[in-house]
mmCIF file of all heavy atoms in Angstrom:
data_model
loop_
_atom_site.group_PDB
_atom_site.id
_atom_site.type_symbol
_atom_site.label_atom_id
_atom_site.label_comp_id
_atom_site.label_asym_id
_atom_site.label_seq_id
_atom_site.Cartn_x
_atom_site.Cartn_y
_atom_site.Cartn_z
ATOM 1 N N MET J 1419 33.933 -1.414 -80.092
ATOM 2 C CA MET J 1419 34.223 -2.852 -80.003
ATOM 3 C C MET J 1419 35.731 -3.093 -79.819
ATOM 4 O O MET J 1419 36.602 -2.445 -80.328
ATOM 5 C CB MET J 1419 33.778 -3.587 -81.247
ATOM 6 C CG MET J 1419 32.243 -3.762 -81.367
ATOM 7 S SD MET J 1419 31.796 -4.684 -82.740
ATOM 8 C CE MET J 1419 31.365 -3.246 -83.766
ATOM 9 N N THR J 1420 35.955 -4.127 -79.022
ATOM 10 C CA THR J 1420 37.383 -4.482 -78.679
ATOM 11 C C THR J 1420 37.618 -5.921 -79.038
ATOM 12 O O THR J 1420 36.778 -6.739 -78.865
ATOM 13 C CB THR J 1420 37.711 -4.166 -77.234
ATOM 14 O OG1 THR J 1420 39.019 -4.569 -76.985
ATOM 15 C CG2 THR J 1420 36.753 -4.838 -76.340
ATOM 16 N N ASP J 1421 38.893 -6.193 -79.439
ATOM 17 C CA ASP J 1421 39.241 -7.567 -79.649
ATOM 18 C C ASP J 1421 39.851 -8.258 -78.463
ATOM 19 O O ASP J 1421 40.069 -9.408 -78.419
ATOM 20 C CB ASP J 1421 40.220 -7.614 -80.825
ATOM 21 C CG ASP J 1421 39.593 -7.223 -82.100
ATOM 22 O OD1 ASP J 1421 38.411 -7.508 -82.340
ATOM 23 O OD2 ASP J 1421 40.361 -6.636 -82.958
ATOM 24 N N LYS J 1422 40.055 -7.379 -77.435
ATOM 25 C CA LYS J 1422 40.679 -7.957 -76.256
ATOM 26 C C LYS J 1422 39.684 -8.388 -75.203
ATOM 27 O O LYS J 1422 39.014 -7.605 -74.518
ATOM 28 C CB LYS J 1422 41.660 -6.953 -75.613
ATOM 29 C CG LYS J 1422 42.812 -6.650 -76.549
ATOM 30 C CD LYS J 1422 43.734 -5.723 -75.802
ATOM 31 C CE LYS J 1422 45.029 -5.437 -76.691
ATOM 32 N NZ LYS J 1422 45.904 -4.436 -76.058
ATOM 33 N N THR J 1423 39.433 -9.689 -75.247
ATOM 34 C CA THR J 1423 38.467 -10.239 -74.289
ATOM 35 C C THR J 1423 39.234 -11.258 -73.466
ATOM 36 O O THR J 1423 39.058 -12.468 -73.659
ATOM 37 C CB THR J 1423 37.258 -10.874 -75.047
ATOM 38 O OG1 THR J 1423 36.818 -10.043 -76.022
ATOM 39 C CG2 THR J 1423 36.140 -11.190 -74.139
ATOM 40 N N GLY J 1424 40.001 -10.773 -72.613
ATOM 41 C CA GLY J 1424 40.956 -11.595 -71.853
ATOM 42 C C GLY J 1424 40.223 -12.304 -70.718
ATOM 43 O O GLY J 1424 40.846 -12.405 -69.589
ATOM 44 N N ALA J 1425 39.102 -12.793 -70.847
ATOM 45 C CA ALA J 1425 38.360 -13.453 -69.722
ATOM 46 C C ALA J 1425 37.795 -14.724 -70.226
ATOM 47 O O ALA J 1425 37.604 -15.001 -71.403
ATOM 48 C CB ALA J 1425 37.266 -12.508 -69.292
ATOM 49 N N LEU J 1426 37.423 -15.567 -69.267
ATOM 50 C CA LEU J 1426 36.757 -16.847 -69.527
ATOM 51 C C LEU J 1426 37.345 -17.681 -70.658
ATOM 52 O O LEU J 1426 36.661 -17.972 -71.554
ATOM 53 C CB LEU J 1426 35.293 -16.461 -69.868
ATOM 54 C CG LEU J 1426 34.560 -15.783 -68.725
ATOM 55 C CD1 LEU J 1426 33.088 -15.435 -69.210
ATOM 56 C CD2 LEU J 1426 34.462 -16.605 -67.505
ATOM 57 N N ARG J 1427 38.572 -17.966 -70.501
ATOM 58 C CA ARG J 1427 39.123 -18.992 -71.468
ATOM 59 C C ARG J 1427 39.456 -20.261 -70.633
ATOM 60 O O ARG J 1427 40.585 -20.589 -70.449
ATOM 61 C CB ARG J 1427 40.319 -18.486 -72.105
ATOM 62 C CG ARG J 1427 40.088 -17.262 -72.984
ATOM 63 C CD ARG J 1427 40.861 -17.320 -74.264
ATOM 64 N NE ARG J 1427 40.495 -18.422 -75.000
ATOM 65 C CZ ARG J 1427 41.086 -18.833 -76.155
ATOM 66 N NH1 ARG J 1427 42.107 -18.125 -76.630
ATOM 67 N NH2 ARG J 1427 40.703 -19.884 -76.822
ATOM 68 N N THR J 1428 38.448 -20.959 -70.240
ATOM 69 C CA THR J 1428 38.568 -22.145 -69.421
ATOM 70 C C THR J 1428 38.688 -23.335 -70.417
ATOM 71 O O THR J 1428 37.689 -23.656 -71.039
ATOM 72 C CB THR J 1428 37.430 -22.370 -68.489
ATOM 73 O OG1 THR J 1428 37.227 -21.063 -67.834
ATOM 74 C CG2 THR J 1428 37.659 -23.439 -67.574
ATOM 75 N N ARG J 1429 39.849 -23.915 -70.429
ATOM 76 C CA ARG J 1429 40.069 -25.083 -71.261
ATOM 77 C C ARG J 1429 39.093 -26.322 -70.949
ATOM 78 O O ARG J 1429 38.691 -27.020 -71.810
ATOM 79 C CB ARG J 1429 41.527 -25.569 -71.217
ATOM 80 C CG ARG J 1429 42.452 -24.583 -71.976
ATOM 81 C CD ARG J 1429 43.840 -25.162 -71.821
ATOM 82 N NE ARG J 1429 44.791 -24.206 -72.584
ATOM 83 C CZ ARG J 1429 45.064 -24.288 -73.875
ATOM 84 N NH1 ARG J 1429 44.453 -25.289 -74.614
ATOM 85 N NH2 ARG J 1429 45.868 -23.427 -74.473
ATOM 86 N N ALA J 1430 38.792 -26.335 -69.703
ATOM 87 C CA ALA J 1430 37.965 -27.459 -69.263
ATOM 88 C C ALA J 1430 36.529 -27.405 -69.926
ATOM 89 O O ALA J 1430 35.880 -28.408 -69.958
ATOM 90 C CB ALA J 1430 37.849 -27.443 -67.765
ATOM 91 N N ALA J 1431 36.154 -26.225 -70.206
ATOM 92 C CA ALA J 1431 34.877 -26.020 -70.828
ATOM 93 C C ALA J 1431 34.896 -26.179 -72.338
ATOM 94 O O ALA J 1431 33.752 -26.193 -72.955
ATOM 95 C CB ALA J 1431 34.386 -24.615 -70.560
ATOM 96 N N GLU J 1432 36.093 -26.396 -72.940
ATOM 97 C CA GLU J 1432 36.109 -26.612 -74.388
ATOM 98 C C GLU J 1432 35.825 -27.997 -74.801
ATOM 99 O O GLU J 1432 36.717 -28.757 -75.129
ATOM 100 C CB GLU J 1432 37.464 -26.061 -74.923
ATOM 101 C CG GLU J 1432 37.593 -24.565 -74.710
ATOM 102 C CD GLU J 1432 38.931 -24.148 -75.254
ATOM 103 O OE1 GLU J 1432 39.762 -24.978 -75.620
ATOM 104 O OE2 GLU J 1432 39.246 -22.943 -75.198
ATOM 105 N N THR J 1433 34.695 -28.459 -74.626
ATOM 106 C CA THR J 1433 34.251 -29.795 -75.015
ATOM 107 C C THR J 1433 33.831 -29.846 -76.474
ATOM 108 O O THR J 1433 32.983 -29.043 -76.851
ATOM 109 C CB THR J 1433 33.125 -30.311 -74.091
ATOM 110 O OG1 THR J 1433 33.526 -30.126 -72.747
ATOM 111 C CG2 THR J 1433 32.780 -31.678 -74.421
ATOM 112 N N GLU J 1434 34.322 -30.785 -77.159
ATOM 113 C CA GLU J 1434 34.003 -30.869 -78.630
ATOM 114 C C GLU J 1434 32.532 -31.359 -78.732
ATOM 115 O O GLU J 1434 32.133 -32.264 -78.098
ATOM 116 C CB GLU J 1434 34.964 -31.808 -79.359
ATOM 117 C CG GLU J 1434 36.295 -31.135 -79.567
ATOM 118 C CD GLU J 1434 37.058 -31.988 -80.461
ATOM 119 O OE1 GLU J 1434 36.827 -33.233 -80.647
ATOM 120 O OE2 GLU J 1434 37.965 -31.426 -81.191
ATOM 121 N N THR J 1435 31.800 -30.711 -79.703
ATOM 122 C CA THR J 1435 30.492 -31.048 -79.794
ATOM 123 C C THR J 1435 30.267 -31.312 -81.323
ATOM 124 O O THR J 1435 30.987 -30.763 -82.184
ATOM 125 C CB THR J 1435 29.605 -29.790 -79.446
ATOM 126 O OG1 THR J 1435 29.755 -29.477 -78.080
ATOM 127 C CG2 THR J 1435 28.077 -30.169 -79.643
ATOM 128 N N THR J 1436 29.416 -32.211 -81.679
ATOM 129 C CA THR J 1436 29.117 -32.562 -83.006
ATOM 130 C C THR J 1436 27.940 -31.731 -83.413
ATOM 131 O O THR J 1436 26.846 -31.774 -82.836
ATOM 132 C CB THR J 1436 28.839 -34.017 -83.313
ATOM 133 O OG1 THR J 1436 29.950 -34.729 -82.802
ATOM 134 C CG2 THR J 1436 28.636 -34.288 -84.734
ATOM 135 N N TRP J 1437 28.030 -30.901 -84.513
ATOM 136 C CA TRP J 1437 26.935 -30.152 -85.048
ATOM 137 C C TRP J 1437 26.625 -30.622 -86.400
ATOM 138 O O TRP J 1437 27.512 -30.992 -87.183
ATOM 139 C CB TRP J 1437 27.403 -28.636 -85.185
ATOM 140 C CG TRP J 1437 28.037 -28.105 -83.932
ATOM 141 C CD1 TRP J 1437 29.356 -28.098 -83.606
ATOM 142 C CD2 TRP J 1437 27.345 -27.454 -82.791
ATOM 143 N NE1 TRP J 1437 29.578 -27.524 -82.348
ATOM 144 C CE2 TRP J 1437 28.329 -27.119 -81.796
ATOM 145 C CE3 TRP J 1437 25.987 -27.197 -82.560
ATOM 146 C CZ2 TRP J 1437 27.986 -26.465 -80.644
ATOM 147 C CZ3 TRP J 1437 25.686 -26.564 -81.395
ATOM 148 C CH2 TRP J 1437 26.628 -26.155 -80.435
ATOM 149 N N GLN J 1438 25.354 -30.647 -86.711
ATOM 150 C CA GLN J 1438 24.883 -31.193 -88.002
ATOM 151 C C GLN J 1438 24.191 -30.082 -88.769
ATOM 152 O O GLN J 1438 23.273 -29.498 -88.238
ATOM 153 C CB GLN J 1438 24.103 -32.399 -87.811
ATOM 154 C CG GLN J 1438 23.688 -32.983 -89.289
ATOM 155 C CD GLN J 1438 23.036 -34.332 -89.159
ATOM 156 O OE1 GLN J 1438 22.084 -34.461 -88.302
ATOM 157 N NE2 GLN J 1438 23.347 -35.242 -89.992
ATOM 158 N N CYS J 1439 24.582 -29.914 -90.081
ATOM 159 C CA CYS J 1439 23.859 -28.929 -90.901
ATOM 160 C C CYS J 1439 22.552 -29.540 -91.362
ATOM 161 O O CYS J 1439 22.505 -30.668 -91.912
ATOM 162 C CB CYS J 1439 24.721 -28.621 -92.074
ATOM 163 S SG CYS J 1439 23.912 -27.517 -93.334
ATOM 164 N N LEU J 1440 21.430 -28.901 -91.128
ATOM 165 C CA LEU J 1440 20.078 -29.308 -91.509
ATOM 166 C C LEU J 1440 19.915 -29.326 -93.069
ATOM 167 O O LEU J 1440 18.999 -29.950 -93.615
ATOM 168 C CB LEU J 1440 18.971 -28.569 -90.865
ATOM 169 C CG LEU J 1440 18.968 -28.779 -89.359
ATOM 170 C CD1 LEU J 1440 17.891 -27.867 -88.675
ATOM 171 C CD2 LEU J 1440 18.725 -30.207 -89.001
ATOM 172 N N THR J 1441 20.812 -28.518 -93.700
ATOM 173 C CA THR J 1441 20.593 -28.358 -95.181
ATOM 174 C C THR J 1441 21.303 -29.460 -95.963
ATOM 175 O O THR J 1441 20.684 -30.088 -96.791
ATOM 176 C CB THR J 1441 21.205 -27.022 -95.532
ATOM 177 O OG1 THR J 1441 20.513 -25.974 -94.843
ATOM 178 C CG2 THR J 1441 20.988 -26.806 -97.142
ATOM 179 N N CYS J 1442 22.490 -29.785 -95.608
ATOM 180 C CA CYS J 1442 23.299 -30.780 -96.375
ATOM 181 C C CYS J 1442 23.655 -32.011 -95.483
ATOM 182 O O CYS J 1442 24.287 -32.869 -95.983
ATOM 183 C CB CYS J 1442 24.506 -30.227 -97.060
ATOM 184 S SG CYS J 1442 25.789 -29.706 -95.869
ATOM 185 N N HIS J 1443 23.365 -31.922 -94.198
ATOM 186 C CA HIS J 1443 23.601 -32.981 -93.266
ATOM 187 C C HIS J 1443 25.064 -33.215 -92.965
ATOM 188 O O HIS J 1443 25.490 -34.321 -92.448
ATOM 189 C CB HIS J 1443 22.981 -34.349 -93.771
ATOM 190 C CG HIS J 1443 21.424 -34.314 -93.856
ATOM 191 N ND1 HIS J 1443 20.727 -35.270 -94.394
ATOM 192 C CD2 HIS J 1443 20.629 -33.350 -93.423
ATOM 193 C CE1 HIS J 1443 19.443 -35.001 -94.348
ATOM 194 N NE2 HIS J 1443 19.375 -33.751 -93.688
ATOM 195 N N LEU J 1444 25.842 -32.274 -93.287
ATOM 196 C CA LEU J 1444 27.298 -32.335 -92.972
ATOM 197 C C LEU J 1444 27.418 -32.243 -91.457
ATOM 198 O O LEU J 1444 26.860 -31.431 -90.781
ATOM 199 C CB LEU J 1444 28.056 -31.267 -93.629
ATOM 200 C CG LEU J 1444 29.559 -31.076 -93.231
ATOM 201 C CD1 LEU J 1444 30.323 -32.255 -93.810
ATOM 202 C CD2 LEU J 1444 30.112 -29.796 -93.740
ATOM 203 N N GLU J 1445 28.290 -33.115 -90.889
ATOM 204 C CA GLU J 1445 28.515 -33.053 -89.537
ATOM 205 C C GLU J 1445 29.915 -32.316 -89.243
ATOM 206 O O GLU J 1445 30.933 -32.680 -89.830
ATOM 207 C CB GLU J 1445 28.653 -34.465 -88.865
ATOM 208 C CG GLU J 1445 27.168 -35.042 -88.855
ATOM 209 C CD GLU J 1445 27.178 -36.342 -88.073
ATOM 210 O OE1 GLU J 1445 28.250 -36.848 -87.667
ATOM 211 O OE2 GLU J 1445 26.092 -36.896 -87.781
ATOM 212 N N VAL J 1446 29.895 -31.415 -88.327
ATOM 213 C CA VAL J 1446 31.102 -30.687 -88.011
ATOM 214 C C VAL J 1446 31.403 -30.813 -86.523
ATOM 215 O O VAL J 1446 30.493 -30.600 -85.639
ATOM 216 C CB VAL J 1446 31.008 -29.213 -88.291
ATOM 217 C CG1 VAL J 1446 32.217 -28.422 -87.899
ATOM 218 C CG2 VAL J 1446 30.599 -28.999 -89.842
ATOM 219 N N VAL J 1447 32.590 -31.290 -86.143
ATOM 220 C CA VAL J 1447 32.999 -31.424 -84.773
ATOM 221 C C VAL J 1447 33.857 -30.222 -84.416
ATOM 222 O O VAL J 1447 34.969 -30.034 -84.895
ATOM 223 C CB VAL J 1447 33.723 -32.721 -84.571
ATOM 224 C CG1 VAL J 1447 34.137 -32.860 -83.058
ATOM 225 C CG2 VAL J 1447 32.939 -33.917 -85.039
ATOM 226 N N ASP J 1448 33.353 -29.443 -83.464
ATOM 227 C CA ASP J 1448 34.054 -28.285 -82.986
ATOM 228 C C ASP J 1448 33.534 -27.948 -81.563
ATOM 229 O O ASP J 1448 32.504 -28.465 -81.082
ATOM 230 C CB ASP J 1448 33.790 -27.196 -83.876
ATOM 231 C CG ASP J 1448 35.011 -26.141 -83.849
ATOM 232 O OD1 ASP J 1448 35.660 -26.165 -82.862
ATOM 233 O OD2 ASP J 1448 35.040 -25.321 -84.790
ATOM 234 N N THR J 1449 34.279 -27.073 -80.934
ATOM 235 C CA THR J 1449 33.926 -26.625 -79.619
ATOM 236 C C THR J 1449 32.893 -25.557 -79.611
ATOM 237 O O THR J 1449 32.190 -25.411 -78.610
ATOM 238 C CB THR J 1449 35.105 -26.144 -78.838
ATOM 239 O OG1 THR J 1449 35.816 -25.100 -79.592
ATOM 240 C CG2 THR J 1449 36.149 -27.241 -78.610
ATOM 241 N N VAL J 1450 32.726 -24.960 -80.768
ATOM 242 C CA VAL J 1450 31.709 -23.894 -80.876
ATOM 243 C C VAL J 1450 30.850 -24.157 -82.143
ATOM 244 O O VAL J 1450 31.293 -24.866 -83.056
ATOM 245 C CB VAL J 1450 32.414 -22.502 -80.961
ATOM 246 C CG1 VAL J 1450 33.124 -22.184 -79.654
ATOM 247 C CG2 VAL J 1450 33.300 -22.456 -82.135
ATOM 248 N N LEU J 1451 29.734 -23.501 -82.156
ATOM 249 C CA LEU J 1451 28.886 -23.596 -83.291
ATOM 250 C C LEU J 1451 29.507 -22.970 -84.509
ATOM 251 O O LEU J 1451 30.017 -21.838 -84.382
ATOM 252 C CB LEU J 1451 27.602 -22.950 -82.910
ATOM 253 C CG LEU J 1451 26.449 -22.827 -84.043
ATOM 254 C CD1 LEU J 1451 25.946 -24.293 -84.207
ATOM 255 C CD2 LEU J 1451 25.333 -21.997 -83.574
ATOM 256 N N PRO J 1452 29.589 -23.637 -85.667
ATOM 257 C CA PRO J 1452 30.172 -23.065 -86.798
ATOM 258 C C PRO J 1452 29.430 -21.825 -87.321
ATOM 259 O O PRO J 1452 28.229 -21.703 -87.100
ATOM 260 C CB PRO J 1452 30.057 -24.198 -87.878
ATOM 261 C CG PRO J 1452 29.871 -25.395 -87.081
ATOM 262 C CD PRO J 1452 29.178 -25.024 -85.844
ATOM 263 N N ARG J 1453 30.217 -20.889 -87.795
ATOM 264 C CA ARG J 1453 29.565 -19.630 -88.309
ATOM 265 C C ARG J 1453 28.735 -19.907 -89.444
ATOM 266 O O ARG J 1453 27.742 -19.318 -89.662
ATOM 267 C CB ARG J 1453 30.631 -18.530 -88.585
ATOM 268 C CG ARG J 1453 31.291 -18.050 -87.357
ATOM 269 C CD ARG J 1453 32.125 -16.839 -87.680
ATOM 270 N NE ARG J 1453 32.798 -16.270 -86.498
ATOM 271 C CZ ARG J 1453 33.560 -15.174 -86.474
ATOM 272 N NH1 ARG J 1453 33.648 -14.487 -87.688
ATOM 273 N NH2 ARG J 1453 34.037 -14.758 -85.428
ATOM 274 N N LYS J 1454 29.196 -20.799 -90.315
ATOM 275 C CA LYS J 1454 28.388 -21.210 -91.475
ATOM 276 C C LYS J 1454 28.848 -22.595 -91.932
ATOM 277 O O LYS J 1454 30.023 -23.003 -91.539
ATOM 278 C CB LYS J 1454 28.503 -20.237 -92.560
ATOM 279 C CG LYS J 1454 29.838 -20.116 -93.270
ATOM 280 C CD LYS J 1454 29.742 -19.179 -94.485
ATOM 281 C CE LYS J 1454 31.010 -19.212 -95.311
ATOM 282 N NZ LYS J 1454 31.049 -18.401 -96.445
ATOM 283 N N CYS J 1455 28.080 -23.220 -92.719
ATOM 284 C CA CYS J 1455 28.441 -24.582 -93.172
ATOM 285 C C CYS J 1455 29.542 -24.465 -94.248
ATOM 286 O O CYS J 1455 29.402 -23.734 -95.167
ATOM 287 C CB CYS J 1455 27.230 -25.209 -93.789
ATOM 288 S SG CYS J 1455 27.532 -26.852 -94.397
ATOM 289 N N PRO J 1456 30.642 -25.224 -94.012
ATOM 290 C CA PRO J 1456 31.761 -25.269 -95.053
ATOM 291 C C PRO J 1456 31.388 -25.892 -96.312
ATOM 292 O O PRO J 1456 32.105 -25.701 -97.289
ATOM 293 C CB PRO J 1456 32.866 -25.932 -94.201
ATOM 294 C CG PRO J 1456 32.150 -26.775 -93.250
ATOM 295 C CD PRO J 1456 30.929 -26.081 -92.802
ATOM 296 N N ARG J 1457 30.320 -26.644 -96.362
ATOM 297 C CA ARG J 1457 29.918 -27.360 -97.517
ATOM 298 C C ARG J 1457 28.954 -26.586 -98.330
ATOM 299 O O ARG J 1457 29.166 -26.277 -99.487
ATOM 300 C CB ARG J 1457 29.455 -28.707 -97.290
ATOM 301 C CG ARG J 1457 29.012 -29.420 -98.514
ATOM 302 C CD ARG J 1457 28.286 -30.772 -98.200
ATOM 303 N NE ARG J 1457 29.211 -31.803 -97.718
ATOM 304 C CZ ARG J 1457 28.844 -32.994 -97.335
ATOM 305 N NH1 ARG J 1457 27.498 -33.249 -97.219
ATOM 306 N NH2 ARG J 1457 29.650 -33.938 -96.930
ATOM 307 N N CYS J 1458 27.884 -26.221 -97.710
ATOM 308 C CA CYS J 1458 26.810 -25.554 -98.414
ATOM 309 C C CYS J 1458 26.595 -24.152 -98.146
ATOM 310 O O CYS J 1458 25.855 -23.439 -98.845
ATOM 311 C CB CYS J 1458 25.498 -26.259 -98.251
ATOM 312 S SG CYS J 1458 24.751 -26.074 -96.534
ATOM 313 N N GLY J 1459 27.330 -23.633 -97.199
ATOM 314 C CA GLY J 1459 27.276 -22.153 -96.863
ATOM 315 C C GLY J 1459 26.035 -21.747 -96.011
ATOM 316 O O GLY J 1459 25.867 -20.565 -95.960
ATOM 317 N N ALA J 1460 25.254 -22.686 -95.544
ATOM 318 C CA ALA J 1460 24.146 -22.305 -94.736
ATOM 319 C C ALA J 1460 24.636 -21.627 -93.452
ATOM 320 O O ALA J 1460 25.676 -21.878 -92.949
ATOM 321 C CB ALA J 1460 23.363 -23.550 -94.330
ATOM 322 N N SER J 1461 23.799 -20.704 -92.988
ATOM 323 C CA SER J 1461 24.199 -19.985 -91.782
ATOM 324 C C SER J 1461 24.015 -20.835 -90.582
ATOM 325 O O SER J 1461 23.447 -21.944 -90.594
ATOM 326 C CB SER J 1461 23.271 -18.680 -91.662
ATOM 327 O OG SER J 1461 21.927 -19.085 -91.371
ATOM 328 N N ARG J 1462 24.548 -20.338 -89.408
ATOM 329 C CA ARG J 1462 24.633 -21.074 -88.223
ATOM 330 C C ARG J 1462 23.246 -21.605 -87.664
ATOM 331 O O ARG J 1462 23.160 -22.524 -86.882
ATOM 332 C CB ARG J 1462 25.499 -20.387 -87.232
ATOM 333 C CG ARG J 1462 24.816 -19.029 -86.800
ATOM 334 C CD ARG J 1462 25.782 -18.194 -86.037
ATOM 335 N NE ARG J 1462 26.383 -18.852 -84.912
ATOM 336 C CZ ARG J 1462 27.408 -18.455 -84.178
ATOM 337 N NH1 ARG J 1462 27.904 -17.300 -84.522
ATOM 338 N NH2 ARG J 1462 27.901 -19.135 -83.188
ATOM 339 N N VAL J 1463 22.313 -20.752 -88.029
ATOM 340 C CA VAL J 1463 20.914 -21.171 -87.501
ATOM 341 C C VAL J 1463 20.460 -22.606 -88.031
ATOM 342 O O VAL J 1463 19.505 -23.067 -87.568
ATOM 343 C CB VAL J 1463 19.910 -20.144 -87.851
ATOM 344 C CG1 VAL J 1463 20.311 -18.749 -87.210
ATOM 345 C CG2 VAL J 1463 19.752 -19.954 -89.328
ATOM 346 N N LYS J 1464 21.183 -22.967 -89.094
ATOM 347 C CA LYS J 1464 20.809 -24.338 -89.719
ATOM 348 C C LYS J 1464 21.506 -25.465 -88.998
ATOM 349 O O LYS J 1464 21.292 -26.632 -89.376
ATOM 350 C CB LYS J 1464 21.187 -24.268 -91.218
ATOM 351 C CG LYS J 1464 20.376 -23.415 -92.108
ATOM 352 C CD LYS J 1464 18.923 -23.874 -92.175
ATOM 353 C CE LYS J 1464 18.147 -22.938 -93.022
ATOM 354 N NZ LYS J 1464 16.731 -23.386 -93.045
ATOM 355 N N PHE J 1465 22.344 -25.173 -88.002
ATOM 356 C CA PHE J 1465 23.035 -26.208 -87.294
ATOM 357 C C PHE J 1465 22.335 -26.602 -86.097
ATOM 358 O O PHE J 1465 21.822 -25.818 -85.330
ATOM 359 C CB PHE J 1465 24.384 -25.796 -86.989
ATOM 360 C CG PHE J 1465 25.444 -25.925 -88.181
ATOM 361 C CD1 PHE J 1465 25.586 -24.906 -88.989
ATOM 362 C CD2 PHE J 1465 26.172 -27.151 -88.322
ATOM 363 C CE1 PHE J 1465 26.466 -25.033 -90.107
ATOM 364 C CE2 PHE J 1465 27.090 -27.246 -89.353
ATOM 365 C CZ PHE J 1465 27.219 -26.222 -90.224
ATOM 366 N N VAL J 1466 22.339 -27.941 -85.914
ATOM 367 C CA VAL J 1466 21.719 -28.472 -84.603
ATOM 368 C C VAL J 1466 22.748 -29.245 -83.871
ATOM 369 O O VAL J 1466 23.627 -29.934 -84.568
ATOM 370 C CB VAL J 1466 20.482 -29.323 -84.826
ATOM 371 C CG1 VAL J 1466 19.301 -28.459 -85.359
ATOM 372 C CG2 VAL J 1466 20.774 -30.475 -85.743
ATOM 373 N N GLU J 1467 22.764 -29.342 -82.639
ATOM 374 C CA GLU J 1467 23.735 -30.187 -81.850
ATOM 375 C C GLU J 1467 23.218 -31.662 -81.869
ATOM 376 O O GLU J 1467 22.188 -31.958 -81.699
ATOM 377 C CB GLU J 1467 23.770 -29.639 -80.428
ATOM 378 C CG GLU J 1467 24.755 -30.373 -79.602
ATOM 379 C CD GLU J 1467 24.847 -29.805 -78.162
ATOM 380 O OE1 GLU J 1467 24.301 -28.666 -77.974
ATOM 381 O OE2 GLU J 1467 25.360 -30.501 -77.309
ATOM 382 N N VAL J 1468 24.239 -32.469 -82.193
ATOM 383 C CA VAL J 1468 23.989 -33.911 -82.291
ATOM 384 C C VAL J 1468 24.315 -34.492 -80.902
ATOM 385 O O VAL J 1468 25.437 -34.401 -80.382
ATOM 386 C CB VAL J 1468 24.811 -34.627 -83.348
ATOM 387 C CG1 VAL J 1468 24.540 -36.056 -83.348
ATOM 388 C CG2 VAL J 1468 24.507 -33.968 -84.616
ATOM 389 N N GLY J 1469 23.340 -35.103 -80.244
ATOM 390 C CA GLY J 1469 23.540 -35.643 -78.918
ATOM 391 C C GLY J 1469 24.206 -37.012 -79.027
ATOM 392 O O GLY J 1469 23.565 -38.000 -78.770
ATOM 393 N N ALA J 1470 25.422 -36.979 -79.228
ATOM 394 C CA ALA J 1470 26.243 -38.267 -79.296
ATOM 395 C C ALA J 1470 26.760 -38.782 -77.998
ATOM 396 O O ALA J 1470 27.062 -39.977 -77.892
ATOM 397 C CB ALA J 1470 27.369 -38.091 -80.336
ATOM 398 N N GLN J 1471 26.740 -37.967 -77.017
ATOM 399 C CA GLN J 1471 27.274 -38.337 -75.695
ATOM 400 C C GLN J 1471 26.095 -38.882 -74.823
ATOM 401 O O GLN J 1471 25.115 -38.264 -74.695
ATOM 402 C CB GLN J 1471 27.874 -37.112 -75.050
ATOM 403 C CG GLN J 1471 29.141 -36.650 -75.749
ATOM 404 C CD GLN J 1471 29.761 -35.465 -75.069
ATOM 405 O OE1 GLN J 1471 29.129 -34.835 -74.240
ATOM 406 N NE2 GLN J 1471 30.997 -35.176 -75.426
ATOM 407 N N ALA J 1472 26.439 -40.061 -74.315
ATOM 408 C CA ALA J 1472 25.347 -40.647 -73.470
ATOM 409 C C ALA J 1472 25.648 -40.658 -72.000
ATOM 410 O O ALA J 1472 25.343 -41.447 -71.246
ATOM 411 C CB ALA J 1472 25.234 -42.182 -73.965
ATOM 412 N N GLU J 1473 26.376 -39.567 -71.642
ATOM 413 C CA GLU J 1473 26.755 -39.437 -70.214
ATOM 414 C C GLU J 1473 25.708 -38.968 -69.342
ATOM 415 O O GLU J 1473 25.680 -39.082 -68.142
ATOM 416 C CB GLU J 1473 27.985 -38.508 -70.110
ATOM 417 C CG GLU J 1473 29.196 -39.035 -70.943
ATOM 418 C CD GLU J 1473 30.335 -38.044 -70.807
ATOM 419 O OE1 GLU J 1473 30.168 -36.998 -70.082
ATOM 420 O OE2 GLU J 1473 31.332 -38.271 -71.505
ATOM 421 N N ASN J 1474 24.729 -38.265 -69.959
ATOM 422 C CA ASN J 1474 23.699 -37.679 -69.090
ATOM 423 C C ASN J 1474 22.369 -38.413 -69.173
ATOM 424 O O ASN J 1474 21.282 -37.768 -69.059
ATOM 425 C CB ASN J 1474 23.450 -36.227 -69.568
ATOM 426 C CG ASN J 1474 24.760 -35.380 -69.283
ATOM 427 O OD1 ASN J 1474 25.384 -35.682 -68.204
ATOM 428 N ND2 ASN J 1474 25.023 -34.439 -70.012
ATOM 429 N N GLU J 1475 22.442 -39.676 -69.390
ATOM 430 C CA GLU J 1475 21.162 -40.412 -69.453
ATOM 431 C C GLU J 1475 20.459 -40.485 -68.116
ATOM 432 O O GLU J 1475 21.126 -40.764 -67.040
ATOM 433 C CB GLU J 1475 21.443 -41.875 -69.871
ATOM 434 C CG GLU J 1475 21.710 -41.885 -71.357
ATOM 435 C CD GLU J 1475 21.706 -43.349 -71.835
ATOM 436 O OE1 GLU J 1475 21.218 -44.247 -71.003
ATOM 437 O OE2 GLU J 1475 22.199 -43.624 -72.943
ATOM 438 N N ALA J 1476 19.295 -40.104 -68.008
ATOM 439 C CA ALA J 1476 18.532 -40.096 -66.762
ATOM 440 C C ALA J 1476 17.699 -41.297 -66.542
ATOM 441 O O ALA J 1476 17.161 -41.805 -67.504
ATOM 442 C CB ALA J 1476 17.606 -38.809 -66.696
HETATM 443 ZN ZN1 LIG Z 2115 25.443 -27.558 -95.030
#
């Protein structure tokens, strides 16, 4: 394994997303899915993306 992954760091793709923990309902705003919940410690599989952006309404 290597720590050097010098590819694909496109800032334009770093869009903040709101994730919500299904266990404690804590909302975390980040560009990536949290590894675990900072409040209750639930793993990332407990997080769902909150669709707060209405830009893609069809
Ligand atoms: Zn939680």
Side-chain angles (χ1 to χ4, degrees):
M1419 284 181 263
T1420 175
D1421 292 330
K1422 293 183 179 178
T1423 311
L1426 298 178
R1427 294 221 64 186
T1428 309
R1429 288 182 178 271
E1432 294 179 356
T1433 304
E1434 288 193 332
T1435 303
T1436 302
W1437 309 92
Q1438 185 175 43
C1439 174
L1440 293 177
T1441 301
C1442 70
H1443 296 172
L1444 175 70
E1445 290 188 351
V1446 179
V1447 179
D1448 204 340
T1449 55
V1450 294
L1451 181 66
R1453 290 191 178 185
K1454 70 175 186 178
C1455 179
R1457 178 189 285 175
C1458 72
S1461 66
R1462 62 194 307 170
V1463 299
K1464 292 294 183 181
F1465 278 87
V1466 294
E1467 183 177 343
V1468 179
Q1471 295 179 343
E1473 297 179 6
N1474 292 327
E1475 286 189 16

